Structure formats: structure tokens, C-alpha cells
Amino acid sequence: MILVRIAIQTFGLALGQIWANKVRSLLTTLGVIIGVASVVAVIAALQGLRATVLQEFEKLGAKRVYIDGTLPRSQWHSGRWRDVQLKIDEVKAIRDRCESITSITPEWWGSYAVEYGDRKVAAAQTVGIWPTWHDIVGRQVIQGRPFTAIDDSERLFVCLINDKAIEELDLPREPVGEFILLAGRRFKVVGVVETVQLALFGGGDTSTEVFVPFGTAQVLNPDGWINDAWGSLASPDKVGDAKAEIGFVLSKMRNLRGGDEPTYQIEVLQQFIDQFNAMAAGITAGAGGIVGISLLVGGIGIMNIMLVSVSERTREIGLRKAIGARPMVVMIQFLVEAVTLCLAGGAIGLGVGQGLIMAIKAIPDSPLKDASVPAWAVLLAVGFSAGTGVIFGMFPAIKASRLDPIEALRHE
Amino acid sequence: MTIRIRELSKVYKLGVERVHALRGVDLDIGKNEFVAIMGASGSGKSTLMNVLGCLDRPSRGVYELNGKPTHRMGAAQLARIRNEEIGFIFQSFELLNRATALKNVMLPMIYSRRHWRSARKRAKAALDRVGLADRMSHKPNQLSGGQRQRVAVARALVNEPSILLADEPTGNLDSVTTHEIIELFRQLHREGQTIVIVTHEEEVAANADRIVRLRDGRVLSDHPTAEDPIHRRWLAGAAAAAAEAALKEGLAEGAPA
Ligand SMILES: Nc1ncnc2c1ncn2[C@@H]1O[C@H](COP(=O)(O)OP(=O)(O)OP(=O)(O)O)[C@@H](O)[C@H]1O
Ligand SMILES: [Mg+2]
């Protein structure tokens, strides 16, 4: 009871002392300030980065599954990439037999010259797709219409372009109905697809894209490969089922046995999120190390100033003991002073950290625009600084509590 | 008996050397006594006072304060005794320079179980009692030596101790302020306070009702003031000196300007 009362009184007195010796207190707690500011800034920055990354994944679609043929590392010399590419039958089999995949589209990639009038793009990225592509990939058709089943089955010479293509080919602002030359053949533009800007995943310099029905793409290049396929999950938590089902179908069609390495890969966005989280944890641990060191340095600063304080105030300690302060009470007094000093440093550190975050957020197009200091980071900072005070204030406090009153009073 | 001391000795160890500061002191002090402890430098006065004030523990012997055997107590218990039963006044005042007179006087009550709620009221009353009602918000460096010692007396009184101990309380004061402080002690004594003071000055001891003289850590003599031979000799000398001074003054007055 008496200890609690003394702790509270000392806290008030110590705050007053800190205020009275502003510069000295600031210098003393510099280590704690830097430690807390950096931990707060790093945590807030990671939070902001995570928010941005999750938004990007959101844009990409959390339900999307990516399927691709791949050579296992052990076969890089012996095998041929061509042999492990997805076949259209395989894509159809997945479509028909995998319950957890609601729709799928192959992607048949090519690169052809595109011309309109006297404008020409030498190597435009061209993708052959099924009409299901629209729902799976989720890119909006901002003018005209999406592909239909007839476009594909009749192998019509129709195409979708992105808005970058309008610019690069100098097409009219409303290009639907215009004809462009793709690989030397006339294609009718039936729609315009939005260009998706991704800040983190290689966006920004998107150029002309042309989409054609899958069937038509096979006409353009009968020897082409299906480079990959995108599927859509029935729901995001069906990831495990989907992988098992696709794996089962492909293994069977490729005659793979139990021990064989798969010649395909199935990626889900959740994996990228997991990878990002692992990276974030790594950064946090690294930052934690820096923070630990600066708190150690800060703590030693605190210990030093407390030792100085104990020796400066030896007579005062002697007097306090002479008028009845128990050793425990003296110890609590000095401990509370150290903790108060550290907490003040922690508070300033929080402010500095917050300021850093504001500065980063103010940078235009910052990927950290959503950075903010979460409540638990504030608690963490407070806990860290109080802990530093207790640990490094303990030795000086014990020293003060053990002073002999008579000798202390005789001290000059 | 307020204080009961038997066979008290205190040995300081300085490396291999041993200093016998007290060698078997017996002493009883009753309620409302005013005792002066005298003796040459190094005779053990301060050592005795520190034991009486529970600041130090005897090497051997018995010290009972109000019937409680303090020589058997631990550090925390002694702290409590110091807080509740003892008022100690130091030669060099020992005030906190950062704090006002009022805060200085409130200090012992911070560590008290009983009085902390009424600390401010009690501190004001104590300052009033020593005649410093109008100096409460002054800091020690804004006070004279005598006023500082009064603050220290107020601080010693504030928890209503059963004994007031003062080790050379006037050692740092001039004769006028010494007189003031002694007058304060007399007043407290009249109000019923038990007082023990250490002094080198017969003039100060003259106000006590008993003089205990130490030599080499032993009680040399213990008499009521009026019966103390050394004090009587000093009184006679002082009277003669006063007569001589009066004579000189008379001569001076009689002389032509
Ligand atoms: N802490 C100590 N360590 C060693 N010896 C000490 C200590 N304190 C006192 N002494 C010795 O004990 C003896 C008594 O000292 P004390 O201070 O009690 O004398 P005193 O009568 O108060 O003298 P003074 O009139 O000078 O104040 C002295 O010989 C002194 O040197
Ligand atoms: Mg002395």
C-alpha cells in the first residue's frame, strides 16, 4: 500500500524533474527514443506495405488458380519444355472433372506485329483466351463487348485491345468496329479491356495488348503452346481440394506415378500472401534486433544517469532513510524514476515514429500510404521502454537502497 | 523509561584495526527529560546519538525505546521506529534544497502509515509551532541558518516522536540564532517533549536539566545540571566575566565623550 502510494508520488515528482531538465532528459533517453521510434516506424511501415499488397492481391483476385506445365529441376537437361506444356485436352479435363474449379481458361501466348493505318507496333503481346477469361481474370471491358462462345467456336477474326493500344496505334477514341492488322490478317476490334496498373508487380509500363479467341489463336499459329491456364476456385478455402483434384487429373493424364516429380505447377495467390508474410516477419525480426541494440544502449544511458543521480543524491538518500524510508521504499523510488524517464523517452519515441510515418506517407504514390501505428505497437513501445527502465534502473536502485544512512549523511 | 541502555558498546572495524567508540554505556532517560550529552571530540557522542536514533546498531548491549528492544530489529523495523518514534536534528540541517519548507516538513509523512493523509495540515501546524508560519513556501536557500534549523526541528516534530534527538544543533549557528534555537527547545520541553542534545557549549547545556559527560566511550559523569561540577565552575566563570564586562561598560559610560 505504502509502496504504491510512494510509486505514484515519485512518478509525479519524476515527471516534474524531467520537465525541469528537458535537455538532459532528452539526451539521456536518446537511445530509448531511437529504439521506440524505429520499432514503431517499422511496424507501421510493414502494416502499410501489407495493406497495399493485400489490395493488389485483391485486384488480382483471391480465388484465382494458376496452372502451368513445368520441368522438374532434375529433368532440365534431359527433358523438353514443349513436352510438359499444358494440352488443351488437359485444360478441358480440368474444366470437366474438377469440382472445386468453377471455370478455367487457357492462355495461348504469342507476339505479333499489329498495324493500323500507318502506325505499327512490331511485337505486341497477343493472348488467345476462352470467353471464361473475362470472369476469371476480372478485367473490365470498358467499350464494346466481351468474347462469346461463338467467337471461339467459329474462330472469328475479332479481337479485344487494351486502352494503351488505342494510344500506340493512334486508333479513334472509340475503336469498336475498326479493323487492325494482326500478323498480317484483318481483325475486327469488338471491345476495349481496361489496363490494370499494379504498383508492386511489374506494372506501370504496360504496352499494347491484343486478345483473340482461343480458337482463332490456334489458326494464327498452329504449332503454338498453351502457356498456362487460369482457373477460378469455387471459394477461396477450396485451395487444398483444387490442388488435389488438378494434381490427380494431370498426373493421370501424364502417366505420373506416386514417386515421380510433377511436371506441372499449381499456384494460388494465398501462397504469395504467405511468402509476403514470411518476408514481413523477417523484416520485423531484423528491425527487432536493431531495436534491441538501441534499447540496450539506451538502457545503459539510463543506468549511467541513475548511478550519477544516486551518487549526487547520496545525502538526500541518507536523510530519507534517517526519517524512516525503508530500503524497499528507496529502491521503488529510484526504480520509478528510471521507469518514468524511459517512459518519457518512449512517449517521445512514439511521437518521432509517428512523424516518420507521416513523412513517408506524404511521399506521392508511396506504397506505404496506408501505414499507421497500430494500438498493439503503442503498447509494445510502452512495454519496451518500461522494461528497459526496470532492468537498467534495478542496479542503481538497489545500490541506493543499500546505502547506510550515517555514511550517506557524511557524504560530501 | 523512554530510553533504557545497558552495557552498550560500538566497535568500528577499519581494516584490521578496531575503534571502540562506545565501551559499555548504561543510561536511562525518562519521559519529558531534557538531557545534554557533552564530552571531548571523539568521546563517542555522535555514535551514541546514532544508536539512540536507530540510525546505527550497537555491536553489543541493550537499547530499549519505550520498552521495545531495538537492538534486535532489522532494517525495515528500525526505519519504522525512526519514522514514528524519533525526531532527529542534524548539525547541518539536511534539508532538501529543491523543496519548499512545507515540502521538507511533509517528507517524513510520505513514509508514514498513519499521517500521510493529513500531511499538509500537520506540516503547517509544525511550522507554525516553530514560528515559521510565514515562510512555508520558501526554499532553504531563501532562509537564514536559524530558520533552516527551525524547519529541521519542525520536520523532526511532525510525526510526534517520543524523543527529539539533536547532534550539535547549534554547531553551525552564530550566538544569536543559537539562542533562538535553544529557546525553541526550551519551549518544546515545557510542552512535554523528551529531548536529548549533544553540545560542546556549556551555555547550551545550561538549558538542559541533566548533563551526561562521556570520555573515551564511557559515561564519565551524569548529574542534574545544577549539580554538575564542571558546569558550576563554568557558571562561576561566566558570572565573573559578566561582572567584569558590566564594570568595563560602566567605566566607558562614565568616561568623557
Ligand atoms: N564510521 C566510523 N568508522 C570508524 N571509526 C569511527 C566511525 N565513526 C566514528 N568513529 C570513531 O569513533 C570515535 C567516536 O566518534 P564520534 O563521532 O562518536 O565522536 P564525537 O564525540 O561525536 O566527536 P565530535 O565532538 O568531534 O563530533 C572516534 O574515535 C571516531 O574516530
Ligand atoms: Mg559528533
Side-chain angles (χ1 to χ4, degrees):
Chain A
M1 177 55 217
I2 191 169
L3 291 181
V4 173
R5 199 181 81 225
I6 297 228
I8 294 169
Q9 278 176 351
T10 309
F11 179 71
L13 286 177
L15 278 183
Q17 281 302 304
I18 290 167
W19 188 244
N21 306 308
K22 284 183 268 302
V23 176
R24 175 171 138 171
S25 308
L26 194 74
L27 292 176
T28 307
T29 55
L30 207 55
V32 176
I33 293 174
I34 292 172
V36 169
S38 47
V39 74
V40 163
V42 167
I43 288 173
L46 278 177
Q47 294 273 315
L49 194 59
R50 171 174 287 132
T52 309
V53 168
L54 289 182
Q55 276 169 16
E56 300 252 310
F57 283 134
E58 204 65 18
K59 278 189 211 161
L60 291 171
K63 297 205 293 187
R64 265 201 274 163
V65 187
Y66 176 80
I67 308 154
D68 191 10
T70 182
L71 269 182
R73 191 175 261 274
S74 59
Q75 295 171 30
W76 277 9
H77 295 294
S78 53
R80 292 202 308 160
W81 284 94
R82 187 173 186 101
D83 296 340
V84 296
Q85 286 305 307
L86 285 177
K87 312 285 181 295
I88 191 66
D89 290 343
E90 290 173 334
V91 176
K92 284 178 179 163
I94 293 170
R95 179 190 65 190
D96 297 340
R97 287 163 55 191
C98 296
E99 304 238 307
S100 51
I101 299 290
T102 51
S103 63
I104 191 165
T105 176
E107 285 189 324
W108 178 287
W109 292 80
S111 176
Y112 302 105
V114 191
E115 290 167 63
Y116 177 75
D118 55 355
R119 296 294 285 253
K120 181 171 178 177
V121 173
Q125 180 178 299
T126 308
V127 194
I129 53 177
W130 282 350
T132 47
W133 182 89
H134 293 290
D135 287 335
I136 296 169
V137 175
R139 284 173 66 173
Q140 295 249 309
V141 175
I142 49 184
Q143 287 184 43
R145 63 164 178 89
F147 285 142
T148 63
I150 294 168
D151 294 330
D152 190 56
S153 60
E154 300 304 317
R155 305 186 167 186
L156 296 180
F157 280 57
V158 292
C159 70
L160 295 166
I161 55 175
N162 68 346
D163 34 14
K164 193 79 180 183
I166 301 177
E167 200 181 298
E168 290 192 344
L169 291 171
D170 202 19
L171 279 155
R173 294 231 55 76
E174 288 179 1
V176 174
E178 297 290 329
F179 285 87
I180 59 172
L181 278 181
L182 178 67
R185 302 182 188 230
R186 268 164 59 88
F187 274 76
K188 185 179 182 184
V189 176
V190 294
V192 179
V193 172
E194 68 174 338
T195 302
V196 176
Q197 292 282 355
L198 294 179
L200 289 173
F201 299 99
D205 58 343
T206 326
S207 51
T208 297
E209 288 176 292
V210 182
F211 299 92
V212 296
F214 184 80
T216 317
Q218 284 177 307
V219 175
L220 283 183
N221 177 10
D223 299 327
W225 307 351
I226 298 177
N227 290 66
D228 53 44
W230 284 100
S232 188
L233 287 173
S235 76
D237 55 349
K238 283 280 177 5
V239 173
D241 293 356
K243 281 190 168 182
E245 288 168 9
I246 296 168
F248 179 76
V249 168
L250 291 181
S251 296
K252 207 167 168 205
M253 294 179 81
R254 294 182 172 202
N255 292 319
L256 296 175
R257 286 160 216 274
D260 291 349
E261 288 171 285
T263 52
Y264 53 85
Q265 59 180 9
I266 306 161
E267 302 283 358
V268 184
L269 285 171
Q270 188 57 43
Q271 284 179 322
F272 294 112
I273 297 177
D274 291 345
Q275 277 169 17
F276 171 77
N277 281 339
M279 182 192 76
I283 296 174
T284 309
I290 297 169
V291 168
I293 290 169
S294 55
L295 283 182
L296 183 73
V297 173
I300 291 169
I302 298 287
M303 181 149 84
N304 182 44
I305 205 77
M306 290 311 293
L307 284 174
V308 168
S309 171
V310 169
S311 95
E312 268 177 0
R313 288 158 63 192
T314 300
R315 273 183 94 100
E316 178 190 327
I317 296 165
L319 172 79
R320 286 178 185 273
K321 295 192 126 186
I323 60 175
R326 283 182 287 144
M328 187 64 167
V329 168
V330 173
M331 193 185 88
I332 291 289
Q333 264 185 310
F334 276 85
L335 214 48
V336 169
E337 273 186 43
V339 169
T340 309
L341 202 54
C342 285
L343 282 179
I348 298 173
L350 266 179
V352 172
Q354 185 77 52
L356 278 176
I357 286 302
M358 305 272 248
I360 292 172
K361 283 166 77 169
I363 301 169
D365 286 334
S366 162
L368 302 179
K369 58 186 181 307
D370 290 322
S372 72
V373 182
W376 62 266
V378 174
L379 288 180
L380 193 74
V382 170
F384 265 153
S385 35
T388 307
V390 170
I391 290 168
F392 292 92
M394 191 58 91
F395 173 59
I398 288 176
K399 201 175 160 190
S401 74
R402 293 216 178 134
L403 283 176
D404 178 71
I406 300 169
E407 301 211 337
L409 280 169
R410 214 177 277 149
H411 190 265
E412 275 316 305
Chain B
M1 267 312 128
T2 303
I3 288 172
R4 182 169 168 271
I5 281 177
R6 289 293 175 274
E7 288 291 314
L8 193 83
S9 53
K10 177 77 194 178
V11 183
Y12 290 109
K13 292 188 191 100
L14 283 176
V16 285
E17 203 182 327
R18 281 156 191 265
V19 181
H20 292 263
L22 294 175
R23 308 165 188 258
V25 172
D26 294 334
L27 186 65
D28 289 326
I29 296 175
K31 200 165 156 45
N32 199 21
E33 275 199 85
F34 187 169
V35 180
I37 293 176
M38 303 195 71
S41 187
S43 55
K45 304 183 295 294
S46 293
T47 307
L48 180 60
M49 282 303 258
N50 290 340
V51 172
L52 286 180
C54 293
L55 288 166
D56 211 350
R57 256 180 290 187
S59 309
R60 259 187 306 113
V62 173
Y63 168 29
E64 285 173 6
L65 178 62
N66 297 315
K68 280 174 267 184
T70 67
H71 53 281
R72 295 210 198 108
M73 292 181 177
Q77 267 178 303
L78 287 176
R80 186 162 178 190
I81 295 277
R82 290 200 292 273
N83 185 250
E84 294 177 353
E85 309 213 16
I86 293 165
F88 210 105
I89 296 160
F90 305 89
Q91 180 174 352
S92 45
F93 321 138
E94 304 297 346
L95 300 177
L96 297 188
N97 292 323
R98 291 177 275 125
T100 61
L102 186 65
K103 292 274 182 202
N104 266 292
V105 177
M106 283 167 70
L107 206 56
M109 286 174 290
I110 290 178
Y111 304 111
S112 156
R113 273 156 220 267
R114 292 180 299 182
H115 300 314
W116 65 276
R117 282 178 198 283
S118 53
R120 184 170 294 269
K121 212 175 80 197
R122 296 179 66 90
K124 282 182 176 169
L127 279 167
D128 195 29
R129 207 167 155 201
V130 300
L132 284 179
D134 53 344
R135 294 283 188 281
M136 296 202 190
S137 52
H138 288 229
K139 294 205 172 154
N141 59 8
Q142 299 163 326
L143 296 170
S144 72
Q147 287 170 332
R148 282 185 220 181
Q149 195 58 298
R150 281 163 188 267
V151 174
V153 173
R155 183 180 64 195
L157 288 175
V158 78
N159 271 350
E160 292 169 349
S162 52
I163 51 169
L164 194 62
L165 303 173
D167 192 352
E168 300 190 46
T170 59
N172 281 6
L173 300 176
D174 62 36
S175 59
V176 178
T177 20
T178 295
H179 192 73
E180 266 175 46
I181 293 296
I182 290 307
E183 200 44 56
L184 179 58
F185 276 79
R186 284 171 63 107
Q187 175 204 325
L188 296 174
H189 179 227
R190 276 198 299 277
E191 290 165 12
Q193 185 69 54
T194 311
I195 302 174
V196 182
I197 75 169
V198 168
T199 183
H200 283 288
E201 298 167 72
E202 296 292 339
E203 201 180 339
V204 171
N207 298 280
D209 36 42
R210 177 177 163 198
I211 298 177
V212 175
R213 292 187 191 272
L214 299 185
R215 179 191 281 172
D216 294 336
R218 293 197 177 88
V219 176
L220 176 68
S221 69
D222 184 350
H223 298 293
T225 308
E227 292 163 26
D228 185 278
I230 301 171
H231 192 69
R232 288 169 71 119
R233 224 176 299 144
W234 172 81
L235 271 179
E244 200 175 317
L247 192 65
K248 270 186 191 160
E249 210 162 296
L251 285 176
E253 267 170 24

